[in-house]
């Protein structure tokens, strides 16, 4: 998954403002206790980060974006 696709999916799921907040502030256990921004900056693959988002927010992520 390209980085632009990742951000598009995140914004479609949470809205532009909230997506940025989630990425910067929400620590996800699936990412080793890192935020989305930290995981991406550390070189984690976008598909791995997206799967962590889906696991953390199963009721928020639409089926078409999983």
């Amino acid at each position: 998954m390209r980085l632009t696709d990742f951000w598009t999916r995140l914004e479609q799921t949470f809205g532009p403002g909230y997506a940025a907040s989630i990425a910067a502030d929400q620590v996800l256990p699936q990412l080793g206790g890192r935020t989305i921004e930290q995981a991406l900056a550390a070189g984690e693959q976008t598909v791995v980060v997206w799967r962590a988002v889906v696991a953390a927010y199963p009721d928020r992520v639409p089926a078409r974006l999983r």
Side-chain angles (χ1 to χ4, degrees):
M1 171 186 307
R2 293 182 312 185
L3 188 58
T4 55
D5 295 332
F6 172 85
W7 287 111
T8 298
R9 288 178 184 213
L10 197 67
E11 288 180 0
Q12 288 176 348
T13 301
F14 297 103
Y18 192 47
S21 176
I22 294 253
D25 301 327
Q26 184 66 44
V27 173
L28 300 180
Q30 299 88 340
L31 296 175
R34 298 177 292 180
T35 67
I36 291 169
E37 287 183 352
Q38 289 169 335
L40 292 172
E44 193 69 64
Q45 293 180 359
T46 53
V47 69
V48 171
V49 177
W50 182 249
R51 288 179 186 149
V53 171
V54 171
Y57 300 97
D59 297 333
R60 285 290 299 250
V61 179
R64 65 181 173 79
L65 296 178
R66 292 175 187 242

